């Protein structure tokens, strides 16, 4: 039986598409949830993936009904910018992944998304940045780290240039996380880049 993945989004959906376009994961994206009319929802519809636009993103029962209908084994937050309701975290404990565009525990927490993250990396003078896949709990960006991709910060980098470099790394890291989860039947720590 295939490993069934639901993906929650709020925006563009490039990580969602990277996941859909990575057949090596051995997983099927069976549902895309969004708290808003995001471009990612349209991309999912165009690919014939079931979608659910949340009427109330704080209503755990609404999430759980949609997740149950989809038969999802795993929930992936791919650019989902709100907190997941605690009842959903409890029901899917250990089965929710988030991708964050920095090397957690640095540059995470409430309000840290998009260009703000990359601006903070540059302001801190960090020599490297990257992306992190971690388990989701009740607090933003706090759950156990499962894997990270590292990229250099280049002299003269702008937040936009760094964001593009990190995003390219995210598009490899997230499929690697889901590949490992599908193979183990649950999210597990994984090596990145994968051993040759
Ligand atoms: C990604 O960079 C993801 O890491 C980030 O939002 C972007 C979504 O892009 N998530 C966060 O900042 C969460 N704190 P996408 O919609 O093109 O996948």
């Amino acid at each position: 039986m295939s490993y069934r993945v639901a993906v929650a989004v709020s925006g563009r959906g490039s990580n969602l598409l990277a996941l859909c376009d990575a057949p090596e994961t051995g997983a099927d994206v069976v549902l895309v949830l969004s708290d808003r009319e995001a471009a990612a929802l349209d991309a999912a519809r165009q690919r014939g993936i079931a979608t659910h636009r949340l009427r109330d993103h704080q209503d755990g029962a609404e999430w759980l009904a949609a997740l149950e209908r989809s038969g999802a084994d795993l929930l992936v937050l791919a650019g989902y910018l709100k907190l997941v309701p605690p009842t959903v975290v409890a029901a899917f404990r250990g089965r929710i992944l988030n991708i964050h565009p920095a090397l957690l525990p640095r540059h995470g927490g409430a309000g840290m998304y998009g260009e703000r993250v990359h601006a903070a990396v540059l302001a801190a003078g960090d020599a490297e940045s990257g992306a992190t896949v971690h388990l989701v709990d009740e607090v933003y960006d706090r759950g156990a780290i499962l894997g990270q991709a590292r990229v250099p910060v280049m002299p003269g980098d702008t937040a936009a240039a760094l964001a593009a470099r990190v995003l390219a790394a995210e598009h490899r890291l997230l499929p690697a996380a889901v590949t490992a989860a599908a193979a183990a039947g649950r999210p597990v720590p994984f090596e990145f880049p994968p051993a040759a």
Side-chain angles (χ1 to χ4, degrees):
M1 230 175 68
S2 86
Y3 191 64
R4 297 170 72 82
V5 180
V7 181
V9 296
S10 297
R12 177 178 52 184
S14 71
N15 277 292
L16 165 68
L17 294 182
L19 198 54
C20 292
D21 292 340
E24 75 275 10
T25 61
D28 290 321
V29 176
V30 294
L31 172 68
V32 176
L33 288 150
S34 181
D35 61 313
R36 62 193 82 176
E37 236 352 283
L41 268 188
D42 274 335
R45 289 182 189 121
Q46 275 168 25
R47 286 176 180 235
I49 301 169
T51 58
H52 183 87
R53 160 83 162 80
L54 292 160
R55 282 175 292 279
D56 175 1
H57 67 84
Q58 293 177 315
D59 179 1
E62 186 182 352
W63 282 77
L64 289 173
L67 288 167
E68 209 157 282
R69 269 198 307 276
S70 75
D73 300 299
L74 175 73
L75 172 60
V76 172
L77 311 185
Y80 183 73
L81 300 179
K82 297 269 171 52
L83 212 50
V84 175
T87 50
V88 178
V89 174
F92 274 74
R93 176 98 42 211
R95 295 192 294 144
I96 310 179
L97 296 180
N98 179 46
I99 185 156
H100 182 78
L103 294 173
L104 291 174
R106 289 181 71 69
H107 310 300
M112 285 301 267
Y113 59 86
E115 290 229 344
R116 288 190 214 174
V117 176
H118 307 294
V121 170
L122 295 178
D126 293 358
E128 62 173 3
S129 189
T132 301
V133 170
H134 65 93
L135 289 176
V136 169
D137 64 14
E138 287 80 1
V139 176
Y140 278 112
D141 301 331
R142 181 186 69 175
I145 292 172
L146 300 182
Q148 292 185 310
R150 311 183 96 84
V151 305
V153 175
M154 304 292 204
D157 254 351
T158 59
L162 180 56
R165 197 174 308 122
V166 169
L167 190 65
E170 290 185 54
H171 293 165
R172 297 190 302 275
L173 185 71
L174 187 58
V178 172
T179 301
R186 68 193 157 83
V188 287
F190 62 99
E191 199 175 336
F192 191 87

